[in-house]
Amino acid sequence: MNESTASATAHPLLLVDDDATFVRVLGRALASRGFEVIATTNPGDARALTRQHQPRYCVLDLKLGDENGLRLIPELHALVPDMRILLLTGYASIATAVEAIKRGAHDYLAKPVDADAVVRALLDGDGHADSDDEDVPDAPEAPLALRRLEWEHIQRVLTECNGNISETARRLGMHRRTLQRKLGKHPVRERPGGSD
């Protein structure tokens, strides 16, 4: 616990979201967990604050008014190459997650999120893509969310292909057997705030 706090306080954290209330609430929660939070609702200010403070961490919303958070990722990396960027969005899709990672985000979480999930993604985010939960056994939210998004994406493409497994696999860029294995598994049913 103290080690996580110590690593969190090594550098400031930039929080960028166009929802001022969300920024205030999450900023307060992250500050109480040891981060030095620099917050803004404006992408232009995000660039200036990055130049000024050289933050080690960034929590970035996908939708920033007229701007797109995805476009900001490479710009922030150009200013601070080793910045760990976590993209948040209320519009969860596997395509957005893949694009965020391609552009340099270290992790991706669908809203609503809690501060503990954000901290785990920032401090342990590199383990999520390479190891199926092995490095982060106490952080099921992000991997489960991504698995659910992947399942939904596969189902959407499968529907577009009228159930043709070979064509679906081709469009998804995966081997037919891999797709069949994924289809053989049941999707994650857990939904935030939902009850069975």
Side-chain angles (χ1 to χ4, degrees):
M1 193 94 137
N2 286 345
E3 285 174 33
S4 287
T5 304
S7 62
T9 56
H11 293 281
L13 176 146
L14 178 65
L15 174 56
V16 189
D17 194 301
D18 63 351
D19 181 340
T21 304
F22 179 79
V23 166
R24 191 166 51 251
V25 171
L26 183 60
R28 202 175 295 143
L30 291 173
S32 75
R33 285 159 176 80
F35 288 89
E36 179 193 333
V37 179
I38 303 150
T40 181
T41 57
N42 180 306
D45 290 346
R47 297 175 185 99
L49 290 167
T50 298
R51 276 189 212 93
Q52 183 182 346
H53 296 279
Q54 298 287 298
R56 173 74 178 96
Y57 305 100
C58 177
V59 178
L60 175 66
D61 191 32
L62 174 67
K63 196 91 173 86
L64 298 170
D66 294 335
E67 284 208 47
N68 185 317
L70 288 172
R71 288 211 320 256
L72 202 53
I73 294 171
E75 292 182 45
L76 296 177
H77 268 302
L79 296 168
V80 181
D82 65 343
M83 183 190 294
R84 294 178 66 88
I85 298 176
L86 171 65
L87 188 76
L88 302 181
T89 178
Y91 310 96
S93 79
I94 196 71
T96 306
V98 169
E99 187 60 30
I101 303 303
K102 272 188 193 168
R103 289 181 183 230
H106 285 85
D107 212 334
Y108 170 98
L109 291 176
K111 288 179 177 178
V113 294
D114 65 58
D116 291 328
V118 169
V119 170
R120 282 193 298 268
L122 287 170
L123 300 182
D124 302 324
D126 280 338
H128 288 194
D130 300 328
S131 69
D132 256 346
D133 306 342
E134 287 161 25
D135 293 337
V136 283
D138 61 337
E141 293 89 356
L144 284 178
L146 283 175
R147 266 192 237 124
R148 189 173 62 243
L149 288 171
E150 180 187 44
W151 173 263
E152 289 171 2
H153 181 63
I154 287 171
Q155 291 302 313
R156 190 165 46 249
V157 175
L158 187 61
T159 302
E160 289 170 8
C161 297
N162 297 317
N164 184 318
I165 299 287
S166 296
E167 178 61 22
T168 302
R170 225 181 339 273
R171 287 193 193 182
L172 292 170
M174 66 175 67
H175 195 277
R176 191 175 191 275
R177 275 192 224 122
T178 304
L179 176 59
Q180 286 174 316
R181 214 171 22 250
K182 286 178 183 291
L183 289 171
K185 294 179 182 176
H186 293 294
V188 178
R189 296 282 179 204
E190 186 178 84
R191 290 178 185 273
S195 58
D196 284 325

